[in-house]
Amino acid sequence: MAKIVCVLYPDPVTGYPPAYARDSIPTIDHYPDGQTAPSPQAIDFVPGQLLGSVSGELGLRRFLEAAGHTLVVTSDKEGPDSVLERELVDADVVISQPFWPVYLTAERIAKAPNLKLSITAGIGSDHVDLNAAIARGITVAEVTYSNSISVAEHAVMQILALVRDFLPSHDWVEQGGWNIADSVARAYDLEGMDVGVLAAGRIGLAVLRRLAPFDVRLHYSDKRRLPSEIEGELNLTFHDEVRSLVRDVDVLSIHTPLVPDTYQLFNDELLGTMRRGAYIVNTARAAIMDRDAVVRALESGQLAGYAGDVWYPQPPPADHPWRTMPHNAMTPHTSGTSLSAQARYAAGTREILECFLSGRPIRQEYLIVDGGQLAGTGATSYSVGGDASPGSQGDATV
Ligand code: NDP
C-alpha cells in the first residue's frame, strides 16, 4: 500500500466555501492540439468546486482510502518541523501544485528513500530538482495542458490591465472618487501596439490567438518556428533571438519554461534594451527575471508596468518588493488554478495515480522524468543542468 503526501494551499480565510458563484462549468473534452482532457476511471468531486486547497484534497481521499492507501494532506511545507518534512520520510508519492510548491530539493529527496513519484497537479515541475530525480529513478509527472488556456486568459487580462491602467482607476471608484484625469494619465489603447510573446508553446500560442483580434502587430520568439500557416493566419513576425524580440515590442508576455537558458534572463542589461515604457507580463516563472532589476526598471520608467502571477519563493515574504513596486498588477499565483482548471488537473492527478498504483504506463504527455531520464513532455520541453530549478535551491529568496 502506498503513502501519498499531498501539499495544497490553505483554505480561504473565511473557510471552505459552502456555496459557489456558478452552478456548473463547461466540459472540456479536448485541448486545441487534439490532446484529450484527463480521463480517470472515475472522479469523486463536483467539477467547479474548490479542490486545490487543503479541504478540497484534489478529490482524492475516497479513491485512495478505498484501495487501502494512506493520504496525508497539508499546507505546512516550510521548515524542518513542518508536516511535509515529517511525512516525507516514508512517502511513496508527493503531490504539489506550482501555486504552493514543494521545493523538492536533492536534500529532501535524500530524506525520502521510498519516494517513487512526484506529481505536479498543474504544469511546470521546476520546483523539483530534476537532476536529483533522474539520479534516484523517481518519476516526475505533471498534467500537461490542464491549465494552459487558464493561464493564457490571465495573461491577456493582465496585458489589458497594465496598458489601460485598470487597477488605479478601479481604486478611485472604490474610494468614492470620480478622478477621470488621474485615472487616464497612464491609460492607453492596446490597438496598434507591437505585442510579443516569448515562447509560443501551448500557452504562448493561445495568447497570440487571443490577441490577434485586438488589431495589434504580433511578434514571437521560440527555439522552433511555428508552422508557416499559423504565422500567416496570425500575421506573426518571428525573431530568432530574444534580444531582437524585446527590442521591437511595446508589450511582452513571457511563456518559456524555467530552464538553464532562461534563469535570470531578464536582467538590467536586457531590460535596458527594451523600448522605454514597455510592459511585461510574466505568468511563466519568477526566476526568469532578476527580481531587483524589474523594480529598478519600473522606478526609472524603463518599464511602464509589470504584471504576472509567479513569484519566488512561493509564498513570497511580506516584504517582497514586487508587492509594492510601482505600476504592478501582480496577483498571487492564481492564473492556472481557476476552479475550471482545478477540475482538470485534479482529474489528471487521479489518472496519473490510477496508472501508477495499478502498474499501468502514465501517458507520455504527462511524463517529465521517467526511467532515470527526461521523458515524454519533459524530453521535448525541459532541459537539466545548471541552476535553473528553484527545486535545486530550496526556499531561499532570489
Ligand atoms: P510548452 O512546453 O507548451 O511551451 C514552452 C515553449 O517554450 C516551447 O515552445 C519551447 O520550445 C519553448 N522554449 C523552451 N526553452 C526555451 C528557451 N530557452 N527560449 C525560448 N523558448 C523556449 O509549455 P506551456 O506553454 O504549457 O507552459 C510554459 C510555462 O508556463 C511552463 O513551463 C510553466 O513554467 C508556466 N506555467 C505557468 C502556470 C501558471 O499558473 N502561471 C501554469 C502552467 C504553466 P521547444 O518545444 O522547442 O522546447
Side-chain angles (χ1 to χ4, degrees), residues 98-99 122-124 126 145 147-148 151 198-204 221-224 254-259 261-262 283-285 309-310 333-337 377 380-382:
F99 327 106
I123 302 173
D126 46 90
Y145 233 137
N147 55 14
S148 305
V151 178
L198 179 57
R202 295 174 186 84
I203 300 172
S221 182
D222 201 308
K223 290 195 295 179
R224 273 180 290 197
I254 299 175
H255 302 290
T256 51
L258 177 61
V259 289
D261 282 354
T262 59
T283 51
R285 285 296 179 261
D309 70 327
V310 283
H333 194 163
T334 51
S335 67
T337 186
T377 293
T380 53
S381 300
Y382 282 74

Side-chain angles (χ1 to χ4, degrees), residues 285-324:
R285 285 296 179 261
I288 294 170
M289 318 303 292
D290 173 334
R291 183 192 72 177
D292 296 334
V294 170
V295 179
R296 284 190 287 271
L298 288 166
E299 286 172 349
S300 72
Q302 174 60 16
L303 287 180
Y306 182 92
D309 70 327
V310 283
W311 305 68
Y312 190 76
Q314 291 191 166
D319 62 353
H320 193 294
W322 287 7
R323 291 183 186 271
T324 50

Side-chain angles (χ1 to χ4, degrees), residues 238-249:
F238 174 71
H239 297 257
D240 61 6
E241 47 132 19
V242 64
R243 305 187 77 80
S244 155
L245 174 73
V246 306
R247 206 178 46 221
D248 283 358
V249 297

